Amino acid sequence: MTIKPLCCLLLIGMLAGCASAPQTPPQRQALYGLGERAAQTIVDEPGWSAENIVLLLARPDIDMSLEVDTEYFRETLTRALLAQGGGPQVLNWVPSMADATTPDNQWLLKTRLLAEGPALTLSDRELRPYRLELALYRPGSATPRWRWNIDGALDVDAL
């Protein structure tokens, strides 16, 4: 008879522990908002119907002082773009794809995440100012057809 209440208490404790555990790694939280903001900008700002667009996503160029993993940021941006209602199709682009003839609905998205000054030390955290540069190109063209910058700061503890 005493085993049943003990089992119930253990089960409740385990469930409470699972419910309070973080659902996403800290880096996902730090970059999730940036990816969402960039994706929304890419869908809204160029003045196109994004649902008919195929974005070729180039490998991001990231300032190493920000301590952001390049492939993780690319994945976060890809997921955010795919989650946009009426958003574009997204493919990872590699330089060998530049030789192929591309349809009119394909655009190359290049991103650069740059440190914008020294880290800001607050009483409880450190922030790293950044600038995310977004540029859309026709594949094979050296001149962007659209550019946009997003400025902000990443919380170092969340990286």
Side-chain angles (χ1 to χ4, degrees), residues 69-140:
D69 180 82
T70 302
E71 287 308 312
Y72 189 79
F73 178 72
R74 186 182 204 179
E75 177 188 337
T76 300
L77 181 56
T78 299
R79 288 177 183 263
L81 285 164
L82 292 172
Q84 294 295 311
Q89 296 177 42
V90 181
L91 299 172
N92 283 341
W93 180 85
V94 292
S96 64
M97 295 170 75
D99 298 335
T101 305
T102 56
D104 289 342
N105 70 333
Q106 289 187 1
W107 290 84
L108 178 61
L109 174 65
K110 293 185 178 181
T111 56
R112 291 182 54 195
L113 185 58
L114 307 167
E116 284 289 300
L120 305 171
T121 304
L122 306 177
S123 61
D124 63 338
R125 71 183 93 180
E126 185 177 311
L127 301 175
R128 293 197 180 136
Y130 68 81
R131 169 168 282 172
L132 176 61
E133 296 176 352
L134 306 168
L136 286 171
Y137 295 80
R138 289 294 303 142

Side-chain angles (χ1 to χ4, degrees), residues 9 53 61 76 123:
L9 285 175
I53 298 299
D61 179 17
T76 300
S123 61

Side-chain angles (χ1 to χ4, degrees), residues 32 45 159:
Y32 179 77
E45 292 301 328
L159 292 175

